[in-house]
Amino acid sequence: MRQQHLLNPTLRDVPADAEAASHRLMLRAGLIRQLSSGIYSYLPLGLKALRHIQRIVQEEMNAAGAQEMLMPALHPSELWKESGRWDIYGPELMRLEDRHGREFALGATHEEVITTLIRDEIQSYKKLPVRLYQIQTKFRDERRPRFGLLRGREFLMKDAYSFDRSAIGMDESYMRMYDAYHRIFTRAGLQFRAVEADSGAIGGTDTHEFMALAEVGEDTIVHCPACGYAANLEKAVGAIPANSEIAAGATHDQTPEKVHTPQTTSIKQLSQLLRIQPKRIIKSIALKAGSAPLVVLLRGDYELNEIKLKQAIGIDRIDMMTEEEIESELQSAAGFIGPVGLHKVRVIADHSVQCMSNAVTGANERDYHLLHVDVNRDLPELTYSDLRNVAEGDLCIHCGNKLAFAKGIEIGHVFKLGTKYSAKLGATFNDDKGTAEPMLMGCYGIGISRMLAAIIEQNYDDRGIIWPHAIAPYAIHLLTVQVLDEVQMKLSLDIYTALTQSGYDVLWDDREERAGVKFNDADLLGFPIRLTVGKKAAEQVIECKERRSGEQYELTVPDLLAHCQAFFNSNMRRP
Amino acid sequence: MRQQHLLNPTLRDVPADAEAASHRLMLRAGLIRQLSSGIYSYLPLGLKALRHIQRIVQEEMNAAGAQEMLMPALHPSELWKESGRWDIYGPELMRLEDRHGREFALGATHEEVITTLIRDEIQSYKKLPVRLYQIQTKFRDERRPRFGLLRGREFLMKDAYSFDRSAIGMDESYMRMYDAYHRIFTRAGLQFRAVEADSGAIGGTDTHEFMALAEVGEDTIVHCPACGYAANLEKAVGAIPANSEIAAGATHDQTPEKVHTPQTTSIKQLSQLLRIQPKRIIKSIALKAGSAPLVVLLRGDYELNEIKLKQAIGIDRIDMMTEEEIESELQSAAGFIGPVGLHKVRVIADHSVQCMSNAVTGANERDYHLLHVDVNRDLPELTYSDLRNVAEGDLCIHCGNKLAFAKGIEIGHVFKLGTKYSAKLGATFNDDKGTAEPMLMGCYGIGISRMLAAIIEQNYDDRGIIWPHAIAPYAIHLLTVQVLDEVQMKLSLDIYTALTQSGYDVLWDDREERAGVKFNDADLLGFPIRLTVGKKAAEQVIECKERRSGEQYELTVPDLLAHCQAFFNSNMRRP
């Protein structure tokens, strides 16, 4: 491609609202343009990179035994009502009416469509398993679209679905996808981790998220550098803190003692007033679980994990109690709640509370707390569960080493759905005895356009993008310094022809621009190597610059093809 | 691909509502499934054929100097309001609101998006011309979706746009696309004609439609077998009928004479009552052009072409007059209107009326007509224009030979837009003197999914589809008669491996089904050749059947590869 014809509007200035590096660079390098909040056009270079990702995904999906198909974006509302998600999904699901007043959703995901399709087309166990995927535009009306392609409202996704006749089959489909995802993200040059995730509202059992490691990531990953355990923050479990760690200064003889703590309603205020560490305080959180009151206990330095709580109590709707409710239903006072002496209320405690002695907690009376609480002695009938977010310093449940934290961008998700959709939508098969059984499903997503942004988040410097070879829009950037110089143009054309005939994708900067502009654009666009045809053209000498290493050296034209071959081979992948 | 794993639900029965052959066959062969009226899922084989079309389109677009990009489906309403189409487009444009109540359209076409993008990114004449295309899902809420993929509400389209600095440049862009379209449809194996079309409501100047010839087509094509002239019915022009043809029996002396024709209000009734041919009657049609009355005259055997009329009078809104309006505004009577004696009303006549003498027309009095009307004598001040649809028997304006009629499916459309959008949306460039000028645009569409249906409309028999090689989902259908026979399976696997390694796309029917079922499915799926491994497997002999010719013969395995190569070469295109 000759660059003078390319629609590639590069920008010198960074748009003010672009917070993420990938967002800034994709705008500056002319890969994308915003049409509306969270909605982007892909310009030629951006689309080319996207197509490279797409091809890798297709190859690995096909190799994993998945068949490509294509489903519509317009979904009749009846399908979503049948699955129960029309009401649950909320405002993220974009909805519209056709000219006859029939309701449709814009597909945010395709479980309903694929499950009813398979329900109608497959009856016998002989036709199972079947694994299908599509690469298709999805619509989700995010409340706060941000970070360019990282959180958009219209985006490109690969979604795959598996249908099996047994749990063993489902596990096999899941593992195939899990492995394929590893290959895909590795080929795309990403640093990533597969982390255990919560199956939460989607239902189902096992689930892993694939996280590209990046500071801009909105997800927190907890991982153990020693044994490799990794989970997202919602799911991660830390070891139960040992008794000894917090019992310092405890004397078992002291009974609870009321202390005056006027207007001291937060953990922070209390720890300052009493000069104790937050981890010696029992935090009591008053909630409504459905319509019933519920008090949750945590060690003062931990945060409640709502997802874990919902799973522990089996109730999906949780709200904070109001001050009035705390007074009327708990006979307590906001900011001074404590488990000792609380009656007729369900109380559930995180494991971290189990070993606390000589602890401080609310006295259920305005402006008073209790000292010297010993959980085992004073609260012998407490129920315990894992209800907290893992925090800095927590230890791995598998190996006891210290857990580490990282930020990640969710680029993929594999999920065992079980019979959640097949049961609701009636996707059954006849087993070998002729009995109808619901199919066992899995669903598997990759954010194709988000992957593009994640790749850039991991591959740039202050001059621009540094593409991994497999994704680079072009492998080679050929640059002619003086396009009015006949010798330079002739040599450039020869090189361009030779390289493209050898199968390399070459962008030839043949624009009438100053050399400085061209060099800056080349660094910004960031293709793996730049070949510059300049003053030494008459001597058949050109300059080669490797974008990632920054290495710069001269080459003679006869050596060029061999050099390119060696460069791309040594970097694992041909362009 | 091994067929036992393929999601390919073939049907024996034809769905009752599928009228078009392509619709029936795509359902029966398991290529598509309907999700909702005019909305389809592509199953693996259907998608594979679609991808082959897509690849041809991409190759030819790239070769024509167009760059691929990708624009969103969600368009902010502001853009469509700026171009004025938010109100004009009507209920075909699907609309929705996001969670903040902002209005969006689902892209039915992308002139607004691309024009504003180019407006923002290109300022200088040096960056022009630029030609861009995308292959993307479009949404149009058709009132009557029908014929499967031929008239859908969600469909795949290639749309391209060119931006030039001069009319000459625009013509050049147009011709490049025109030529690329010829190559695309030829490579896809289609029989088609490029016909002159009306630029009508979109505005602009030149326009051609590419029509795939097919009986099911909803468009009528007029063409001259002698000189190659072709146009769609809205646009086609026939030669002015010669005087001699209709003047038979005319005597110039006879003056108009009233005749009693009770309740004879139609051309047909009148011609029966008076025993004259319809072409001797002057048909008078009373209309409202905007708010003004207008009477249009046509020879009795011709039909009015509303598009031509609108262009001739420069008014876009035309309605029939009511009986009351005919009485009050024309002082005439419905069914008995005639041009003689009509006062204070604009009258416009089709060229076919110009030479009529001894003609019959309404007398502007209930139950009376006039005989012996001579147009030149009695209506000397008439205005003439081309207002009629070409009819059977009309002659070519270019060569005088008889025009022929055919039915067509519109698969492509090229269009010179001129400055229609660039002027409205402010897409200007600075010319070499620094003066801002609106860009000259063209737009160019191909219905990718409709092409798939059109290809099938032209390529089937009573047993199923007969794919053109370039589009066939698989080149070769390998069929094992007895999958429990080890010799047959071993030979099949060897052949499958050898063919796929040679680059052929092979579907291997390894299902445990009766041979009859497999043969029927193979004919229905219609790949170019079927190779059957059966009883003679031990002798290394297989059967080859060519789907299109129906020829069937034995082959020895060592000859197979050479045979396949010769077959696909002689049929113009490798698989």
Side-chain angles (χ1 to χ4, degrees):
Chain A
M1 177 86 203
R2 298 180 68 150
Q3 199 165 343
Q4 58 166 309
H5 301 301
L6 181 71
L7 180 66
N8 176 232
T10 54
L11 301 174
R12 192 176 300 248
D13 299 322
V14 180
D17 65 330
E19 303 163 70
S22 59
H23 189 192
R24 284 196 301 272
L25 285 166
M26 294 182 87
L27 290 171
R28 283 192 52 212
L31 306 184
I32 58 169
R33 284 295 180 264
Q34 180 177 294
L35 177 62
S36 183
S37 171
I39 302 173
Y40 292 87
S41 292
Y42 297 86
L43 305 193
L45 287 190
L47 182 64
K48 244 174 156 281
L50 204 67
R51 291 260 187 261
H52 291 164
I53 296 174
Q54 230 169 303
R55 200 198 55 231
I56 291 173
V57 170
Q58 285 169 323
E59 286 173 4
E60 294 298 341
M61 282 295 113
N62 296 343
Q67 302 167 54
E68 190 173 6
M69 60 178 300
L70 184 60
M71 289 177 273
L74 286 171
H75 300 184
S77 62
E78 293 77 20
L79 282 186
W80 285 72
K81 286 174 181 163
E82 212 178 324
S83 76
R85 291 209 293 181
W86 183 257
D87 294 323
I88 295 171
Y89 215 97
E92 260 192 34
L93 189 66
M94 303 191 85
R95 298 153 209 248
L96 71 160
E97 288 187 1
D98 73 2
R99 66 195 298 157
H100 306 294
R102 287 188 216 103
E103 289 172 317
F104 285 83
L106 284 183
T109 170
H110 279 67
E111 281 83 4
E112 282 80 0
V113 176
I114 191 76
T115 308
T116 49
L117 179 85
I118 294 300
R119 169 190 73 194
D120 295 343
E121 304 303 340
I122 293 188
Q123 275 77 45
S124 162
Y125 71 97
K126 288 183 193 168
K127 299 278 186 188
L128 297 177
V130 63
R131 300 169 188 127
L132 298 155
Y133 77 98
Q134 64 173 349
I135 293 178
Q136 195 244 19
T137 300
K138 297 278 185 286
F139 301 87
R140 287 184 200 164
D141 200 358
E142 293 279 348
R143 185 159 43 182
R144 261 194 79 196
R146 59 193 299 211
F147 297 148
L149 299 191
L150 285 176
R151 186 168 292 281
R153 300 201 286 173
E154 176 175 344
F155 53 95
L156 210 60
M157 192 168 157
K158 187 282 300 177
D159 45 329
Y161 305 90
S162 64
F163 297 83
D164 278 276
R165 50 206 242 208
S166 69
I168 294 168
M170 176 175 71
D171 292 350
E172 152 87 13
S173 292
Y174 186 87
M175 276 317 296
R176 278 185 185 226
M177 286 292 163
Y178 185 91
D179 291 342
Y181 277 34
H182 270 271
R183 287 192 297 272
I184 289 166
F185 298 131
T186 304
R187 284 181 63 182
L190 278 166
Q191 289 184 280
F192 66 98
R193 276 218 167 66
V195 305
E196 292 176 15
D198 176 67
S199 49
I202 318 184
T205 51
D206 280 359
T207 169
H208 282 88
E209 288 168 357
F210 287 79
M211 295 285 187
L213 302 177
E215 266 314 304
V216 75
E218 296 184 274
D219 292 289
T220 301
I221 303 165
V222 179
H223 63 106
C224 175
C227 76
Y229 167 73
N232 68 18
L233 188 60
E234 284 75 41
K235 175 79 173 178
V237 179
I240 300 174
N243 199 347
S244 58
E245 199 189 330
I246 50 160
T251 56
H252 270 282
D253 328 338
Q254 293 174 287
T255 49
E257 175 194 335
K258 238 166 50 176
V259 60
H260 193 218
T261 52
Q263 290 170 358
T264 310
T265 55
S266 74
I267 299 289
K268 195 177 169 193
Q269 291 166 335
L270 190 61
S271 81
Q272 282 170 348
L273 181 74
L274 301 181
R275 296 170 184 272
I276 56 169
Q277 289 187 298
K279 68 180 177 184
R280 288 203 38 219
I281 302 169
I282 300 172
K283 177 157 51 176
S284 307
I285 304 170
L287 301 167
K288 286 278 201 176
S291 59
L294 172 71
V295 172
V296 175
L297 308 182
L298 290 165
R299 210 174 75 179
D301 55 339
Y302 281 117
E303 295 298 325
L304 174 65
N305 181 315
E306 264 199 47
I307 292 173
K308 291 180 179 178
L309 174 62
K310 285 175 183 171
Q311 277 183 346
I313 62 175
I315 293 172
D316 222 37
R317 166 102 199 242
I318 286 178
D319 299 293
M320 297 299 289
M321 263 195 189
T322 62
E323 291 197 16
E324 293 68 37
E325 284 169 338
I326 290 170
E327 281 166 31
S328 64
E329 296 187 35
L330 301 184
Q331 281 82 50
S332 184
F336 302 91
I337 307 166
V340 179
L342 257 194
H343 298 296
K344 297 182 201 158
V345 178
R346 182 174 180 192
V347 180
I348 182 167
D350 179 64
H351 289 305
S352 59
V353 172
Q354 195 151 10
C355 306
M356 292 176 80
S357 54
N358 196 21
V360 177
T361 190
N364 296 314
E365 185 179 339
R366 185 168 309 283
D367 294 342
Y368 285 93
H369 279 86
L370 284 187
L371 304 177
H372 313 313
V373 173
D374 181 302
V375 171
N376 287 325
R377 180 193 61 203
D378 303 325
L379 301 159
E381 294 186 357
L382 266 185
T383 321
Y384 294 95
S385 194
D386 178 35
L387 302 177
R388 71 183 190 277
N389 281 339
V390 169
E392 295 277 358
D394 277 8
L395 304 180
C396 177
I397 43 165
H398 297 289
C399 72
N401 283 289
K402 218 177 235 185
L403 292 170
F405 286 74
K407 287 290 181 183
I409 299 164
E410 186 190 334
I411 46 176
H413 201 161
V414 291
F415 214 103
K416 290 183 194 168
L417 290 169
T419 60
K420 181 181 158 71
Y421 290 93
S422 53
K424 271 198 179 134
L425 298 166
T428 60
F429 67 98
N430 295 321
D431 66 15
D432 49 7
K433 293 174 194 70
T435 313
E437 297 283 349
M439 299 179 193
L440 284 141
M441 291 176 55
C443 71
Y444 316 93
I446 288 181
I448 301 280
S449 39
R450 187 184 277 182
M451 249 180 96
L452 181 57
I455 288 167
I456 296 175
E457 288 293 341
Q458 293 186 354
N459 294 281
Y460 70 94
D461 62 14
D462 55 1
R463 305 192 57 76
I465 301 169
I466 304 171
W467 288 105
H469 296 185
I471 311 300
Y474 288 90
I476 297 172
H477 207 160
L478 175 66
L479 197 152
T480 309
V481 174
Q482 255 306 347
V483 296
L484 301 176
D485 179 314
E486 271 181 38
V487 178
Q488 291 187 23
M489 278 304 272
K490 167 78 172 59
L491 181 61
S492 301
L493 180 59
D494 289 348
I495 291 174
Y496 179 73
T497 309
L499 287 171
T500 49
Q501 280 175 357
S502 298
Y504 292 98
D505 228 354
V506 184
L507 182 66
W508 175 12
D509 191 347
D510 60 347
R511 297 175 298 162
E512 259 192 82
E513 293 279 2
R514 284 181 299 110
V517 170
K518 292 183 177 189
F519 289 134
N520 283 340
D521 276 355
D523 281 345
L524 177 59
L525 298 185
F527 308 149
I529 39 181
R530 185 188 82 198
L531 302 174
T532 305
V533 177
K535 281 184 188 153
K536 293 193 179 172
E539 303 156 46
Q540 298 279 301
V541 171
I542 60 173
E543 188 199 73
C544 178
K545 182 183 173 189
E546 301 178 4
R547 178 67 180 89
R548 190 174 293 273
S549 68
E551 271 185 71
Q552 220 163 328
Y553 40 83
E554 289 188 342
L555 279 177
T556 58
V557 174
D559 295 338
L560 179 60
L561 278 178
H563 179 79
C564 287
Q565 207 178 346
F567 174 82
F568 285 107
N569 276 347
S570 74
N571 285 270
M572 281 192 31
R573 197 162 309 288
R574 286 260 306 170
Chain B
M1 177 86 201
R2 297 181 67 152
Q3 199 165 343
Q4 57 166 310
H5 300 301
L6 182 71
L7 179 67
N8 176 232
T10 54
L11 301 175
R12 193 176 300 248
D13 299 321
V14 181
D17 64 331
E19 303 163 72
S22 60
H23 189 192
R24 285 196 301 273
L25 285 167
M26 293 182 88
L27 290 170
R28 284 191 53 211
L31 306 185
I32 57 169
R33 284 295 180 265
Q34 181 176 294
L35 177 62
S36 182
S37 169
I39 301 173
Y40 292 87
S41 292
Y42 297 86
L43 304 194
L45 288 189
L47 183 64
K48 245 173 155 284
L50 204 67
R51 291 259 188 261
H52 291 164
I53 296 174
Q54 231 169 306
R55 202 198 51 232
I56 291 173
V57 170
Q58 286 168 322
E59 286 172 4
E60 295 297 342
M61 282 295 112
N62 296 345
Q67 302 168 52
E68 190 172 6
M69 60 178 300
L70 183 60
M71 288 177 273
L74 285 170
H75 300 184
S77 62
E78 292 77 21
L79 281 187
W80 285 72
K81 286 173 181 164
E82 213 178 323
S83 75
R85 291 208 292 181
W86 182 258
D87 295 323
I88 295 171
Y89 215 97
E92 260 192 35
L93 188 68
M94 302 191 86
R95 298 154 209 248
L96 72 158
E97 288 186 1
D98 73 3
R99 66 196 295 157
H100 307 294
R102 288 189 216 102
E103 290 172 316
F104 286 83
L106 284 182
T109 170
H110 279 67
E111 280 84 5
E112 283 80 1
V113 176
I114 192 76
T115 308
T116 50
L117 180 85
I118 294 300
R119 168 190 74 192
D120 295 343
E121 304 302 341
I122 292 188
Q123 275 76 46
S124 162
Y125 72 96
K126 288 184 193 166
K127 299 280 186 186
L128 296 178
V130 63
R131 302 170 187 125
L132 298 155
Y133 76 98
Q134 63 173 349
I135 293 177
Q136 196 245 19
T137 301
K138 297 277 186 284
F139 301 87
R140 287 184 201 164
D141 200 357
E142 293 279 349
R143 185 158 44 185
R144 262 194 79 197
R146 61 194 296 213
F147 297 148
L149 298 191
L150 286 176
R151 186 169 292 282
R153 299 201 287 173
E154 176 176 344
F155 53 95
L156 209 60
M157 191 169 158
K158 187 283 300 177
D159 46 328
Y161 306 90
S162 64
F163 297 82
D164 278 277
R165 53 205 241 206
S166 69
I168 293 167
M170 176 175 71
D171 292 349
E172 151 88 13
S173 292
Y174 186 87
M175 276 318 296
R176 279 185 183 224
M177 286 292 162
Y178 185 91
D179 292 343
Y181 276 35
H182 270 271
R183 287 192 297 273
I184 288 166
F185 299 131
T186 304
R187 284 181 62 182
L190 278 166
Q191 289 185 281
F192 67 96
R193 276 217 167 67
V195 305
E196 292 176 15
D198 176 66
S199 50
I202 317 184
T205 50
D206 279 358
T207 170
H208 282 88
E209 288 169 357
F210 287 79
M211 294 285 188
L213 303 177
E215 265 316 303
V216 74
E218 297 184 274
D219 292 289
T220 301
I221 303 165
V222 179
H223 62 105
C224 174
C227 76
Y229 167 73
N232 69 16
L233 188 60
E234 284 76 41
K235 176 78 174 179
V237 179
I240 299 174
N243 196 348
S244 58
E245 198 189 330
I246 50 161
T251 55
H252 270 283
D253 330 336
Q254 293 174 289
T255 48
E257 175 195 335
K258 239 166 46 175
V259 58
H260 192 218
T261 51
Q263 289 167 359
T264 309
T265 56
S266 74
I267 298 291
K268 194 178 170 195
Q269 291 167 335
L270 190 62
S271 81
Q272 282 169 348
L273 181 76
L274 302 181
R275 296 169 182 270
I276 55 170
Q277 288 187 301
K279 68 180 177 184
R280 286 200 40 217
I281 302 169
I282 299 172
K283 178 156 55 176
S284 307
I285 304 170
L287 302 168
K288 286 278 201 176
S291 58
L294 173 71
V295 172
V296 175
L297 307 183
L298 289 164
R299 212 174 73 180
D301 55 339
Y302 281 117
E303 295 299 325
L304 175 64
N305 182 313
E306 262 198 46
I307 292 173
K308 290 180 179 177
L309 174 61
K310 285 175 183 172
Q311 278 183 344
I313 62 175
I315 293 172
D316 223 36
R317 166 101 199 243
I318 286 178
D319 298 293
M320 296 298 290
M321 262 194 189
T322 62
E323 291 197 16
E324 292 69 35
E325 284 168 339
I326 290 171
E327 281 165 32
S328 64
E329 296 186 37
L330 300 185
Q331 281 84 50
S332 183
F336 302 92
I337 308 167
V340 179
L342 257 195
H343 296 297
K344 297 181 201 158
V345 178
R346 183 174 178 189
V347 180
I348 183 168
D350 178 65
H351 290 306
S352 59
V353 173
Q354 195 151 9
C355 305
M356 292 176 77
S357 55
N358 196 19
V360 177
T361 189
N364 296 314
E365 186 179 339
R366 186 167 309 282
D367 294 343
Y368 285 94
H369 279 84
L370 284 186
L371 304 176
H372 313 312
V373 172
D374 182 303
V375 171
N376 286 325
R377 180 193 63 201
D378 303 325
L379 299 160
E381 295 187 356
L382 265 186
T383 321
Y384 294 94
S385 193
D386 178 34
L387 302 177
R388 71 184 191 277
N389 282 339
V390 170
E392 294 278 359
D394 276 7
L395 304 181
C396 177
I397 43 166
H398 297 289
C399 71
N401 283 290
K402 219 177 234 183
L403 292 170
F405 286 73
K407 286 288 180 185
I409 298 163
E410 187 190 335
I411 46 176
H413 200 160
V414 291
F415 212 104
K416 290 184 194 169
L417 289 169
T419 61
K420 180 179 158 70
Y421 290 93
S422 52
K424 269 199 180 133
L425 297 166
T428 60
F429 67 98
N430 295 321
D431 66 15
D432 50 6
K433 293 172 195 72
T435 313
E437 298 282 350
M439 299 179 192
L440 284 140
M441 290 176 57
C443 71
Y444 317 93
I446 288 181
I448 301 280
S449 40
R450 185 183 277 182
M451 248 180 96
L452 181 57
I455 288 166
I456 295 176
E457 288 292 341
Q458 293 186 354
N459 294 282
Y460 70 94
D461 62 15
D462 56 1
R463 304 193 56 78
I465 301 169
I466 304 171
W467 288 106
H469 296 185
I471 310 301
Y474 288 91
I476 297 171
H477 208 161
L478 175 65
L479 196 151
T480 310
V481 174
Q482 255 307 345
V483 296
L484 301 177
D485 179 316
E486 271 181 39
V487 178
Q488 290 187 22
M489 278 303 272
K490 168 77 173 60
L491 181 61
S492 302
L493 180 60
D494 289 348
I495 291 174
Y496 179 72
T497 309
L499 287 171
T500 48
Q501 281 175 356
S502 299
Y504 292 98
D505 228 354
V506 184
L507 183 66
W508 175 12
D509 191 345
D510 60 346
R511 297 175 300 163
E512 259 194 80
E513 293 279 3
R514 284 180 298 110
V517 170
K518 292 183 178 190
F519 289 134
N520 283 340
D521 276 355
D523 282 345
L524 177 59
L525 298 185
F527 308 147
I529 39 181
R530 186 188 82 198
L531 302 174
T532 305
V533 178
K535 281 185 189 155
K536 293 193 180 174
E539 303 155 46
Q540 298 279 301
V541 170
I542 61 173
E543 188 199 73
C544 178
K545 183 182 173 188
E546 300 178 5
R547 178 66 181 91
R548 191 175 292 274
S549 68
E551 271 184 70
Q552 220 162 327
Y553 41 83
E554 289 188 343
L555 279 177
T556 59
V557 173
D559 296 337
L560 179 60
L561 278 178
H563 179 80
C564 288
Q565 207 179 347
F567 174 82
F568 285 106
N569 276 347
S570 75
N571 284 270
M572 281 192 32
R573 197 163 309 287
R574 284 261 305 172

